[in-house]
Amino acid sequence: MDFTLYCLSGPTAVGKTELALRWAEQFDAEILYCDAVSFYKGMDVGSAKPNKEEQSRVPHHGIDLVPACIPYTIADYLEYAQKTIQEIHSRGKRVLITGGSGFYLKSFFAPVIDSVSVSDEIRIQVRQLEAEDGLLGLQRALNACNPDGIEGVDMQNPRRVSRALERCIASGKTVEQLQQEFASQGTPFDEYPRQLCVLMRDRDELRSRVAIRTKQMLDSGLIEEVQRLLIAGIEKNSSAASAIGYREVIEWLDVGCTDLEPLAALISQNTNRLIKKQCTWFRNQLKVDHLYEMRSNGSGNETELFKILSK
């Protein structure tokens, strides 16, 4: 049986969904999503998750796992992904992992979370220090825990400094020691061969596809979807409420706007910024086995890509 974890990724709007479906159909695979928005129930239009018809073609996993008001962490996902992959293989099927969330995708290839457990008491202690003495107080405390100096922490970023301080206090170790331990960690998926294919398109073509996609989302009821999610408490979950498409509509509703044109322009603008970040992430954070340039006319895509992805 083929235990390889096949991964198909790429920036938003590049065209992953249909190609993933056809590959899974051809190679008898089930699809595991790694999309940080698709995890949430009710976030359908704005996430562009596969619709019911598409999901009926191939078994899908990693979609609609929790209500949008409940945060879903990378630790939750890792536990879910391990169990799901084992179940798929037990059925004699291949696994195709697809989605555009780079951090979640990276978890299949490298450690992304450390094993340090930070208690509520320590978090309260650090927050109180920041409230009383600000960033300077955090810096002093972190320097005291690291007498030989600190590298790899943005000392001007209060959030990064406080997180580093919490871990130093909880573990009794220096930042350098924690970094060394983290780098030596394996992943829960090291037993599997892994193949990563990243799709790309011409940037101007991507911008055009984003504009079309944004219009389709608004025409398909994105605003009404956000209104339902607000009633269901999405704002309790900052990760979900700040997702592109959702945060813009929430702000638009808050100020009582009625003009869709600036809303569409803002969603498209922020999506294009996300795409730029995604491309940088794929380039700097992941070892890509195959980089595939999608063609605007679609000719030859499937045969050539499937040959690459199934190597």
Side-chain angles (χ1 to χ4, degrees):
M1 191 172 70
D2 186 354
F3 288 100
T4 302
L5 301 183
Y6 295 98
C7 303
L8 180 65
S9 192
T12 298
V14 77
K16 297 182 291 292
T17 301
E18 181 60 28
L19 282 173
L21 281 166
R22 293 206 296 265
W23 189 93
E25 288 173 328
Q26 182 169 327
F27 291 95
D28 194 25
E30 298 186 19
I31 292 175
L32 172 60
Y33 251 68
C34 64
D35 183 287
V37 183
S38 294
F39 300 150
Y40 296 113
K41 298 175 183 176
M43 299 182 74
D44 304 325
V45 177
S47 69
K49 68 178 64 163
N51 59 37
K52 297 303 181 185
E53 180 183 349
E54 289 167 330
Q55 291 185 46
S56 70
R57 289 167 55 183
V58 171
H60 282 68
H61 309 274
I63 294 175
D64 296 340
L65 301 180
V66 294
C69 60
I70 299 176
Y72 193 78
T73 68
I74 185 66
D76 295 326
Y77 181 72
L78 284 172
E79 182 179 352
Y80 173 85
Q82 291 176 72
K83 180 182 177 183
T84 299
I85 288 169
Q86 291 169 358
E87 291 173 350
I88 294 172
H89 283 152
S90 72
R91 292 189 284 273
K93 301 292 189 72
R94 289 184 174 93
V95 175
L96 177 63
I97 298 160
T98 189
S101 293
F103 185 62
Y104 285 81
L105 182 64
K106 185 178 179 178
S107 69
F108 292 95
F109 299 91
V112 293
I113 53 175
D114 61 36
S115 58
V116 178
S117 177
V118 179
S119 68
D120 291 339
E121 289 78 10
I122 291 175
R123 289 195 176 92
I124 292 170
Q125 175 187 339
V126 171
R127 282 201 297 268
Q128 185 174 352
L129 174 63
E130 183 179 7
E132 293 174 353
D133 298 326
L135 176 60
L136 183 60
L138 294 175
Q139 292 170 338
R140 287 171 178 164
L142 186 59
N143 284 323
C145 295
N146 295 267
D148 295 328
I150 303 168
E151 291 186 9
V153 177
D154 182 355
M155 295 296 283
Q156 300 307 311
N157 185 323
R159 183 170 177 272
R160 298 290 174 85
V161 176
S162 63
R163 283 176 61 83
L165 179 58
E166 288 171 355
R167 278 158 172 72
C168 286
I169 295 172
S171 65
K173 298 175 181 178
T174 65
V175 167
E176 182 180 7
Q177 290 172 324
L178 290 171
Q179 290 171 339
Q180 290 174 348
E181 289 180 4
F182 181 75
S184 66
Q185 286 180 196
T187 79
F189 311 102
D190 287 347
E191 64 185 286
Y192 302 107
R194 286 152 287 183
Q195 286 264 5
L196 173 58
C197 179
V198 171
L199 307 177
M200 288 294 179
R201 281 186 190 268
D202 174 79
R203 190 59 62 87
D204 288 338
E205 185 182 355
L206 269 177
R207 279 191 282 267
S208 176
R209 289 172 64 89
V210 165
I212 293 170
R213 169 179 159 140
T214 299
K215 183 179 185 305
Q216 289 174 339
M217 286 179 173
L218 290 170
D219 290 344
S220 298
L222 176 59
I223 293 171
E224 293 77 12
E225 178 172 278
V226 172
Q227 289 172 326
R228 291 192 296 271
L229 289 165
L230 286 168
I231 294 171
I234 188 175
E235 290 179 296
K236 296 175 184 176
N237 179 2
S238 60
S239 295
S242 63
I244 291 177
Y246 293 93
R247 70 169 181 250
E248 293 85 359
V249 174
I250 290 171
E251 292 169 0
W252 184 84
L253 290 169
D254 280 346
V255 298
C257 288
T258 57
D259 188 354
L260 290 178
E261 189 172 334
L263 174 61
L266 183 59
I267 293 174
S268 293
Q269 174 184 294
N270 289 340
T271 303
N272 286 317
R273 287 176 177 168
L274 170 64
I275 287 172
K276 185 176 180 180
K277 291 179 181 178
Q278 288 174 316
C279 292
T280 300
W281 181 274
F282 294 136
R283 186 167 58 249
N284 296 334
Q285 296 288 333
L286 294 167
K287 180 184 178 298
V288 178
D289 297 296
H290 310 290
L291 188 64
Y292 187 79
E293 189 75 21
M294 299 284 282
R295 302 170 192 168
S296 57
N297 63 5
S299 63
N301 278 346
E302 186 173 303
T303 301
E304 185 179 351
L305 176 61
F306 287 7
K307 191 181 298 183
I308 290 171
L309 187 56
S310 59
K311 284 181 180 178

